[in-house]
Amino acid sequence: MNKRVQLPPLDAFDRKILDILQQDNTTPQREIGDAINLSAPAVQRRIKRMTEAGVIQANVAVLDPAAVGQSITIFVEIEVISETAAQIEDAKREFAAAPEIQQCYYVTGEADFILVIVVPNMGDYEALTRRLFFGNSNVKRFRTFVAMDRVKVGLHVPLGA
Amino acid sequence: MNKRVQLPPLDAFDRKILDILQQDNTTPQREIGDAINLSAPAVQRRIKRMTEAGVIQANVAVLDPAAVGQSITIFVEIEVISETAAQIEDAKREFAAAPEIQQCYYVTGEADFILVIVVPNMGDYEALTRRLFFGNSNVKRFRTFVAMDRVKVGLHVPLGA
DNA sequence: TCTCCAATGAAACAAACTTGCAAATGAGAG
DNA sequence: CTCTCATTTGCAAGTTTGTTTCATTGGAGA
């Protein structure tokens, strides 16, 4: 399914294009071209190549959660009891399937999973904990952090390297 | 600066449009229209309205961090010493300004800030901790979690409500 | 120096977005 | 129950943007 085509070393042009698209992917190709001294078709071909190579994974609209009634962002640290490969895979699958879980990472350290959860209100979060954590016999402990301020939110990847 | 226009209650059409754009904002308006039984211009006007209202905050390309040399994702929980308004604002500003810090939240609970950091390697992270945490006299303690697997990553907001 | 390959730009072409306008829809007043 | 007004819609025309074609350029390697 994944048409990972090749590994084309990104040059300075590619990085500048990515930098622009990471901020606004509705920027016209001609405008990008003007900014980096390249023609629109050249920009278009590079974007296509990077998309096929998987460097660009998606093109998405970013919404204001509060504007669609999802006012609360919560972090959860989870510690599991058994860390067998099968159990971990099960947990990953379950967390990934829950729409309220916006992000899920399997981590080292004092916790095993870190989740970012988006819900309309605390009642919904409480219901979610019952379903996902108390209802999962492999969850040993979890700690909740409620976001008071989303200081910086995004998926922007630095391109300095 | 922020042209928050009005608060138009989103109807079922709007929500379906947002749902599609959250997954792929390159979807042609005519295709969206076909999917929800609306004409392309109607879709276009709704998107414009929601963008002006701030419901749609941005349109961005999502990159594969590993493909651009940023292989490591790290979570950091930070506890500060003094939580005066001024100190907190300073911290927010400093964290928001760092390009390696992809996400920053001010939270309740056993920590004060949670950061998501993206760096090329552990050496860079170590340098970052020296600069941002050890170099900041208001940081009391910080805990590091290194992501072994980015199980689910995105900014998708559930639209069930 | 020569050859070959990959990438480029200009121009033609196709697709998508945007606007103008008349018709339809729905809410509220009379 | 009907009328009116404000809003939203669809169609069609116009504009912008994206895509393809093709001849040319610029190098890397022989």
Side-chain angles (χ1 to χ4, degrees):
Chain A
M1 267 315 73
N2 235 334
K3 289 190 184 174
R4 195 62 46 99
V5 173
Q6 51 176 352
L7 183 85
L10 303 180
D11 62 14
F13 286 127
D14 290 323
R15 271 194 287 271
K16 281 187 204 161
I17 291 171
L18 292 176
D19 198 33
I20 292 170
L21 294 181
Q22 269 197 116
Q23 296 191 265
D24 181 3
N25 72 353
T26 67
T27 311
Q29 295 169 352
R30 191 173 44 79
E31 197 172 313
I32 299 174
D34 289 347
I36 67 180
N37 255 23
L38 221 55
S39 70
V43 172
Q44 126 88 4
R45 284 184 280 252
R46 282 165 178 271
I47 292 174
K48 186 183 177 198
R49 200 160 46 82
M50 291 190 285
T51 301
E52 287 169 348
V55 178
I56 297 174
Q57 292 189 318
N59 288 282
V60 304
V62 179
L63 308 189
D64 176 6
V68 294
Q70 308 284 335
S71 309
I72 301 190
T73 300
I74 292 175
F75 281 79
V76 186
E77 273 178 35
I78 295 173
E79 204 175 326
V80 298
I81 294 168
S82 160
E83 222 170 332
T84 66
Q87 302 254 41
I88 293 300
E89 285 311 311
D90 280 350
K92 287 183 185 177
R93 216 171 309 112
E94 184 174 12
F95 293 148
E100 302 93 338
I101 299 182
Q102 184 186 72
Q103 303 174 51
C104 168
Y105 301 80
Y106 180 48
V107 301
T108 67
E110 299 172 44
D112 298 304
F113 286 96
I114 293 185
L115 309 182
V116 180
I117 292 179
V118 176
V119 288
N121 55 60
M122 277 310 202
D124 290 278
Y125 176 61
E126 207 255 334
L128 193 69
T129 61
R130 266 200 302 272
R131 180 158 65 81
L132 284 183
F133 309 146
F134 293 115
N136 183 331
S137 60
N138 195 34
V139 171
K140 184 196 296 180
R141 214 168 56 82
F142 69 95
R143 293 206 296 167
T144 299
F145 303 84
V146 180
M148 292 183 289
D149 187 7
R150 301 163 76 237
V151 180
K152 185 179 189 179
V153 180
L155 294 176
H156 194 282
V157 177
L159 292 175
Chain B
M1 266 316 72
N2 236 333
K3 290 192 183 171
R4 195 60 45 99
V5 173
Q6 51 177 351
L7 184 84
L10 303 180
D11 62 14
F13 286 128
D14 289 325
R15 270 193 288 273
K16 282 186 202 161
I17 292 171
L18 291 176
D19 199 33
I20 292 170
L21 293 182
Q22 269 196 115
Q23 297 191 266
D24 182 2
N25 72 353
T26 68
T27 311
Q29 296 169 352
R30 191 172 45 80
E31 198 173 312
I32 298 174
D34 290 347
I36 67 180
N37 255 24
L38 223 54
S39 70
V43 172
Q44 125 89 5
R45 285 183 279 249
R46 282 165 179 271
I47 292 175
K48 186 184 176 196
R49 198 159 46 84
M50 291 190 285
T51 301
E52 287 169 347
V55 178
I56 297 174
Q57 292 190 316
N59 287 283
V60 304
V62 178
L63 309 189
D64 176 7
V68 294
Q70 308 284 336
S71 310
I72 301 191
T73 300
I74 292 174
F75 281 79
V76 186
E77 273 178 35
I78 296 174
E79 204 177 325
V80 298
I81 295 169
S82 160
E83 222 169 331
T84 66
Q87 301 253 40
I88 293 301
E89 285 310 311
D90 281 350
K92 287 182 185 178
R93 217 172 308 114
E94 184 173 12
F95 292 148
E100 301 93 338
I101 298 182
Q102 184 186 71
Q103 303 174 51
C104 170
Y105 301 80
Y106 180 46
V107 300
T108 66
E110 299 170 44
D112 298 304
F113 287 96
I114 293 185
L115 309 181
V116 181
I117 291 179
V118 176
V119 287
N121 55 61
M122 277 309 203
D124 290 280
Y125 176 61
E126 207 254 332
L128 193 69
T129 60
R130 265 200 303 271
R131 181 157 65 80
L132 285 182
F133 309 146
F134 293 115
N136 183 331
S137 59
N138 194 34
V139 170
K140 184 196 297 179
R141 213 168 57 83
F142 68 96
R143 293 205 299 168
T144 299
F145 303 84
V146 179
M148 291 183 289
D149 187 7
R150 301 162 78 236
V151 179
K152 185 178 189 179
V153 180
L155 294 176
H156 193 281
V157 177
L159 292 174

